[in-house]
C-alpha cells in the first residue's frame, strides 16, 4: 500500500527566499530518508535539503533559480505506508559554514565538495557571466577582485567565497617578480606546497576527512588568513568559584542539574562584553565604508566536541538567563551535537565564542576567531599552584585564559582590560551582581 505525500522545505532557521542552485533528483528517482533533494544558498552557507520520507519521486515542483522558504513545496513522493520509517527532523542534516555563523560547522552536514586550488582565467576567457551569488560578488568587490578572472570550483560551476580568497592569495604570491628583491614592498615569495609520495617511505593509510572537517577547514583557513589575530593570556584564581560550584552540586543531589565551570565562564563573559561592547561587534560596510556593528544582544557560542569534529552551538540571550538555565541549555545543545541533530538555528547568530579544553588538558592555546565575530575566549585546565598570600604560600586553583581578538577592531590595551575584568568576576563571582 502506498500514498502520495508532499515534501516541503523544513525549518531552516531565520533564512527566507533562498535561491535553489541545484536540483538533485528527478521524477522516477528512489530516495531514502535524509537523501539530499536540492541545494539552497544563503549569504552564509550552501545547504542541502534532505528528504524526510523514503519513496519514489512522482513530480518535482521546483527548478534552479526558484526561491524557497520554510514550507515551500519541493516535490511529491510515492511512499510505502506499511513500511514507512519514522520521520526525522530534516533540519538536523543542515550545516552552515563558518563564514558567518560560527559554526563553526556540525554532525551530518551536507558535503559541499572538495575545494580545488583557484587558478586565474584570462579576462576574455568566456563572455558568459560567472555563476556567483550576490553575497560572493559583494565579497569579491570588497577585496577588489574581478569575478570574471576567478576560476569557480563549486557544484555546477558555482563560485565559492574560497575561490575568491584563493585568487587573492595567488595574486599576492605573483606580486613577487624577477628582478625585485624578495621581502620588499610586502611581497610574498612562497614555495609551492610539497608533493610527497609517502608510500615510498613506509606503510600508509588513507582516511577520509569527516564532513565537518572538510567544511570547517576552509572556514578556519580563511579566518586565520583574513583576520589579524592577536592573543592575550591571563591567569585567574578560581579557588572560591570552584568551591561554590561544588557546593551547589552537593546541595542539588544526584537528580539536580550539574553546574559546570563553562556556564560560569559564559555568564562572566557576557557581563564583560557589556562593559566592553566593541568585543560584541562585527565589521561591516555601508556604502563602501567600513563600519562597526555593535550588537545589543548576547548570543554566546561554545565549542562542543563530537566524534566527527568540533561544532559551535549558540546559547541565545545569555544576559537574560541564570546559571542553571545556561547549564541546562549547554547540556541539551551538546547532546544534539553528539547525535547530529543541530540545525542552522542552533549555530547561527553568535556574538562571542568560548572554547574550553579544560576537560581534556593543556596549559594554553591560541584560538582562531569565529568570523564574523571579533574575539574568542580559550580556556584550558585549571591547576593547583602554590601562591603567595603575603605571609605564606597557599594552594590555589589557577585557570589559564587566552583571548584572541581582531586587531582591526580592538587594540592590546582594550584586550588586557577585558581579561582583567573577566578575571575579576571569576575570582569573586559576587561582582557579577554589581
Amino acid at each position: 500500500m502506498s500514498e502520495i505525500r508532499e515534501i516541503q522545505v523544513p525549518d531552516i532557521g531565520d533564512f527566507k527566499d533562498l535561491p535553489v542552485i541545484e536540483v538533485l533528483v528527478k521524477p522516477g528517482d528512489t530516495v531514502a530518508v535524509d537523501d539530499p533533494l536540492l541545494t539552497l544558498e544563503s549569504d552564509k552557507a550552501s545547504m542541502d535539503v534532505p528528504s524526510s520520507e523514503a519513496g519514489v519521486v512522482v513530480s518535482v515542483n521546483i527548478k534552479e533559480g526558484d526561491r524557497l522558504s520554510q514550507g515551500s513545496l519541493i516535490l511529491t513522493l510515492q511512499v510505502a505506508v506499511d513500511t514507512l520509517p519514522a520521520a526525522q527532523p530534516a533540519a538536523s542534516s543542515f550545516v552552515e559554514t563558518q563564514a558567518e555563523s560560527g559554526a563553526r560547522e556540525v554532525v551530518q552536514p551536507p558535503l559541499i565538495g572538495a575545494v580545488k586550488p583557484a587558478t586565474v582565467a584570462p579576462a576574455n576567457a568566456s563572455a558568459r557571466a560567472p555563476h556567483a551569488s550576490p553575497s560572493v560578488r559583494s565579497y569579491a568587490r570588497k577585496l577588489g577582485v574581478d569575478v570574471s578572472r576567478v576560476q569557480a570550483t563549486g557544484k555546477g560551476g558555482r563560485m565559492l567565497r574560497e575561490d575568491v580568497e584563493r585568487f587573492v592569495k595567488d595574486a599576492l604570491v605573483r606580486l613577487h617578480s624577477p628582478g625585485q628583491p624578495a621581502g620588499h614592498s610586502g611581497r610574498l615569495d612562497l614555495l609551492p606546497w610539497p608533493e610527497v609520495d609517502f608510500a615510498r617511505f613506509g606503510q600508509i593509510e588513507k582516511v577520509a576527512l569527516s564532513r565537518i572537517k572538510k567544511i570547517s577547514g576552509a572556514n578556519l583557513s580563511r579566518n586565520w588568513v583574513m583576520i589579524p589575530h592577536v592573543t592575550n593570556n591571563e591567569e585567574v584564581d578560581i579557588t572560591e568559584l570552584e568551591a561554590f560550584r561544588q557546593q551547589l552540586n552537593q546541595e542539588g543531589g544526584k537528580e539536580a542539574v550539574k553546574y559546570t565551570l563553562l556556564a560560569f565562564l559564559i555568564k562572566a563573559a557576557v557581563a564583560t562584553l557589556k562593559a566592553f561592547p566593541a568585543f560584541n561587534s562585527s565589521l561591516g560596510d555601508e556604502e563602501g565604508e567600513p563600519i562597526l556593528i555593535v550588537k545589543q544582544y548576547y548570543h554566546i557560542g561554545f565549542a562542543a566536541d563530537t566524534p566527527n569534529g568540533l561544532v559551535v552551538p549558540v546559547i541565545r540571550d545569555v544576559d537574560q538567563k541564570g546559571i542553571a538555565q545556561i547549564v541546562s541549555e549547554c547540556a541539551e545543545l551538546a547532546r544534539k551535537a553528539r547525535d547530529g541533530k543541530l540545525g542552522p538555528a542552533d549555530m547561527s547568530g553568535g556574538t562571542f565564542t568560548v572554547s574550553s579544553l579544560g576537560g581534556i588538558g593543556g596549559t594554553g592555546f591560541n584560538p582562531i576567531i569565529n568570523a564574523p565575530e571579533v574575539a574568542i575566549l580559550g580556556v584550558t585546565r585549571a591547576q593547583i599552584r602554590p601562591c603567595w598570600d603575603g605571609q605564606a604560600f597557599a594552594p590555589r586553583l589557577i585557570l589559564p585564559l587566552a583571548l584572541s581578538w581582531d586587531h582591526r577592531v580592538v587594540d592590546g590595551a582594550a584586550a588586557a582590560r577585558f581579561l582583567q575584568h573577566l578575571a575579576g568576576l571569576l575570582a569573586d563571582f559576587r561582582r557579577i551582581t554589581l
Side-chain angles (χ1 to χ4, degrees):
M1 178 178 177
S2 64
E3 64 180 44
I4 304 299
R5 294 190 179 180
E6 294 183 345
I7 305 299
Q8 301 173 338
V9 176
D11 180 7
I12 52 176
D14 298 330
F15 301 113
K16 295 180 180 179
D17 296 326
L18 297 185
V20 178
I21 60 174
E22 188 171 5
V23 179
L24 304 175
V25 296
K26 62 184 183 299
D29 286 350
T30 300
V31 298
V33 173
D34 283 342
D35 278 358
L37 304 177
L38 61 110
T39 303
L40 299 175
E41 182 176 68
S42 73
D43 59 346
K44 296 184 177 183
S46 296
M47 58 182 77
D48 287 350
V49 176
S51 177
S52 58
E53 309 263 11
V56 178
V57 177
V58 177
S59 64
V60 177
N61 298 76
I62 48 92
K63 61 183 182 303
E64 289 187 16
D66 287 351
R67 289 185 170 271
L68 307 182
S69 302
Q70 179 180 346
S72 297
L73 178 62
I74 301 173
L75 52 79
T76 56
L77 203 65
Q78 184 175 5
V79 177
V81 178
D82 54 340
T83 59
L84 182 65
Q88 301 179 9
S92 66
S93 296
F94 288 166
V95 66
E96 283 188 324
T97 66
Q98 292 183 350
E100 301 290 344
S101 66
R104 301 139 89 319
E105 280 130 45
V106 178
V107 177
Q108 296 180 350
L111 180 58
I112 294 178
V115 177
K116 302 176 182 178
T119 57
V120 181
N124 59 355
S126 174
R128 187 180 64 178
H131 186 183
S133 68
S135 63
V136 172
R137 291 179 182 276
S138 174
Y139 184 60
R141 285 196 299 270
K142 290 179 184 178
L143 299 179
V145 173
D146 179 359
V147 293
S148 68
R149 295 177 58 81
V150 180
Q151 180 65 46
T153 63
K155 290 181 180 179
R158 187 166 44 87
M159 188 176 297
L160 309 174
R161 287 173 66 103
E162 288 84 353
D163 297 332
V164 176
E165 290 159 5
R166 282 172 173 77
F167 177 88
V168 172
K169 294 176 187 178
D170 289 346
L172 289 173
V173 174
R174 292 193 303 275
L175 282 175
H176 177 69
S177 58
Q180 294 276 352
H184 289 267
S185 302
R187 292 180 173 88
L188 301 178
D189 189 13
L190 303 179
L191 295 174
W193 192 264
E195 295 185 6
V196 181
D197 180 8
F198 298 104
R200 291 173 50 204
F201 307 105
Q203 186 175 355
I204 65 171
E205 178 186 4
K206 295 183 179 180
V207 180
L209 289 175
S210 68
R211 291 182 174 182
I212 291 176
K213 291 181 179 177
K214 286 181 179 180
I215 296 172
S216 64
N219 293 305
L220 292 170
S221 296
R222 179 208 56 220
N223 294 351
W224 183 248
V225 171
M226 303 296 288
I227 300 174
H229 282 68
V230 183
T231 302
N232 283 37
N233 298 98
E234 184 60 88
E235 294 181 339
V236 54
D237 187 338
I238 61 166
T239 307
E240 277 73 26
L241 177 58
E242 178 61 14
F244 177 54
R245 186 185 73 84
Q246 292 185 9
Q247 177 186 343
L248 290 175
N249 286 334
Q250 290 172 359
E251 292 174 351
K254 293 183 179 180
E255 303 302 324
V257 62
K258 295 302 179 183
Y259 290 87
T260 63
L261 180 59
L262 176 62
F264 288 94
L265 284 165
I266 289 174
K267 190 65 175 179
V270 167
T272 307
L273 290 170
K274 287 188 173 183
F276 299 88
F279 289 84
N280 200 56
S281 69
S282 291
L283 278 171
D285 70 85
E286 193 170 84
E287 297 181 355
E289 292 296 324
I291 61 171
L292 193 62
I293 302 171
V294 182
K295 296 136 189 180
Q296 305 301 315
Y297 53 89
Y298 302 88
H299 301 343
I300 308 302
F302 67 95
D305 190 18
T306 76
N308 292 311
L310 288 175
V311 297
V312 183
V314 175
I315 303 177
R316 299 183 179 277
D317 301 314
V318 176
D319 59 316
Q320 303 173 26
K321 296 172 180 176
I323 300 294
Q325 187 173 356
I326 296 172
V327 169
S328 178
E329 291 191 23
C330 278
E332 175 62 17
L333 287 169
R335 183 193 62 78
K336 289 176 68 176
R338 289 191 298 271
D339 295 343
K341 295 183 178 180
L342 286 175
D346 295 320
M347 299 176 291
S348 62
T351 62
F352 184 82
T353 298
V354 177
S355 179
S356 176
L357 298 178
I360 302 174
T363 58
F365 70 108
N366 293 351
I368 297 177
I369 297 170
N370 186 15
E373 299 166 18
V374 299
I376 181 173
L377 180 68
V379 184
T380 47
R381 177 180 292 173
Q383 295 182 340
I384 296 291
R385 295 183 189 172
C387 297
W388 182 255
D389 63 6
Q391 296 180 340
F393 283 100
R396 308 294 292 179
L397 184 63
I398 306 301
L399 179 70
L401 304 176
L403 179 72
S404 290
W405 42 277
D406 187 336
H407 211 330
R408 298 172 299 178
V409 177
V410 295
D411 56 31
R417 294 187 181 100
F418 182 98
L419 275 180
Q420 283 292 310
H421 189 279
L422 178 62
L425 294 177
L426 294 173
D428 186 354
F429 211 72
R430 296 172 299 178
R431 295 178 180 271
I432 206 165
T433 62
L434 300 178

